[in-house]
Amino acid sequence: MSTRTLARACALPAATAAIALVVAAPASAHVGATVTDASAGAFTVATFSVPHGCEGSPTTKIEIQVPESVLSVTPTRNPYYELESTITQLDEPTTDAHGNEVTERTSSITYTATTPLPDGERDTFELSFQVPDAEGEVLAFPTIQTCAKGSTDWIEVAAEGQDADALEHPAPSFEILPASGEGHHGEAASEEPEATEATEADDTDSSAALGWAGLAAGLVGLAAGGLALARTRTAS
């Protein structure tokens, strides 16, 4: 391949990559969320990323509003923030995944900065919860970003048929995927370690049995060699 042909071949992928970066840049400026597992019924950890302040002003507080279909969340501590959970009474009692009656829910989690987050730095906040059994539903967490000067409300949710990328201040969200069947409601996760321990125990027993068998075979061989040597001396 000539140098000119090689240059042309490399030009298209390079241009494509550059376009992809340009398209992805505006989205990365939003307060967004990623989850470890988006499957219906799965236990997941959502990580909320705050990439900048409010028009240059440092961030002082992040309030994450929890959707009504999520009954409970467990927030991860952050050493630079004070943590507060807001609990709201339900209009009617409901039942959680373990069959327990629930009369209240976590409606929001607020991280208040002890040291404001500079505009040129980013931070993350984690919430652990169970994904509702609602395949195809978009789970949105409207988030209020308060800064030393001003605030930004990341609360917009795309209407049916609307392009979510067209929203100016979209709420962090993700689409609930079909249930995977593995680790659903934590079942597989609790059974797997027991199976591993049983396998390890079997391997240990097998190794010990082989060790004793080898020792016995060695003793028999030693006795046979001694007997042969004694017979040779007697014959001579």
Side-chain angles (χ1 to χ4, degrees), residues 34-91:
T34 58
V35 293
T36 55
D37 192 343
S39 304
F43 287 91
T44 192
V45 174
T47 300
F48 297 81
S49 176
V50 178
H52 57 74
C54 307
E55 297 183 355
S57 181
T59 301
T60 58
K61 184 170 65 175
I62 294 293
E63 178 188 344
I64 304 171
Q65 299 174 3
V66 181
E68 294 184 0
S69 55
V70 176
L71 297 177
S72 176
V73 299
T74 301
T76 299
R77 296 179 61 187
N78 189 312
Y80 297 104
Y81 300 81
E82 294 179 355
L83 178 61
E84 180 183 2
S85 300
T86 301
I87 306 300
T88 303
Q89 294 292 322
L90 297 175
D91 294 334

Side-chain angles (χ1 to χ4, degrees), residues 58-202:
T59 301
T60 58
K61 184 170 65 175
I62 294 293
E63 178 188 344
I64 304 171
Q65 299 174 3
V66 181
E68 294 184 0
S69 55
V70 176
L71 297 177
S72 176
V73 299
T74 301
T76 299
R77 296 179 61 187
N78 189 312
Y80 297 104
Y81 300 81
E82 294 179 355
L83 178 61
E84 180 183 2
S85 300
T86 301
I87 306 300
T88 303
Q89 294 292 322
L90 297 175
D91 294 334
E92 296 182 1
T94 186
T95 303
D96 64 14
H98 303 287
N100 302 316
E101 183 179 78
V102 178
T103 60
E104 58 186 22
R105 58 177 291 271
T106 305
S107 56
S108 68
I109 298 293
T110 301
Y111 287 89
T112 302
T114 55
T115 301
L117 174 65
D119 177 59
E121 300 178 9
R122 65 183 294 274
D123 211 338
T124 57
F125 309 87
E126 294 180 342
L127 300 182
S128 173
F129 58 93
Q130 184 175 20
V131 180
D133 282 323
E135 176 185 340
E137 177 182 318
V138 175
L139 204 61
F141 293 77
T143 300
I144 309 299
Q145 180 184 11
T146 303
C147 298
K149 294 181 180 180
S151 65
T152 304
D153 298 344
W154 304 94
I155 60 176
E156 298 177 3
V157 179
E160 185 175 356
Q162 182 181 10
D163 183 6
D165 293 334
L167 299 176
E168 185 176 0
H169 299 106
S173 60
F174 67 94
E175 182 178 349
I176 300 177
L177 303 178
S180 63
E182 296 182 3
H184 190 58
H185 299 300
E187 294 174 359
S190 61
E191 294 175 358
E192 186 175 352
E194 296 179 3
T196 302
E197 290 174 4
T199 302
E200 291 177 353
D202 291 342

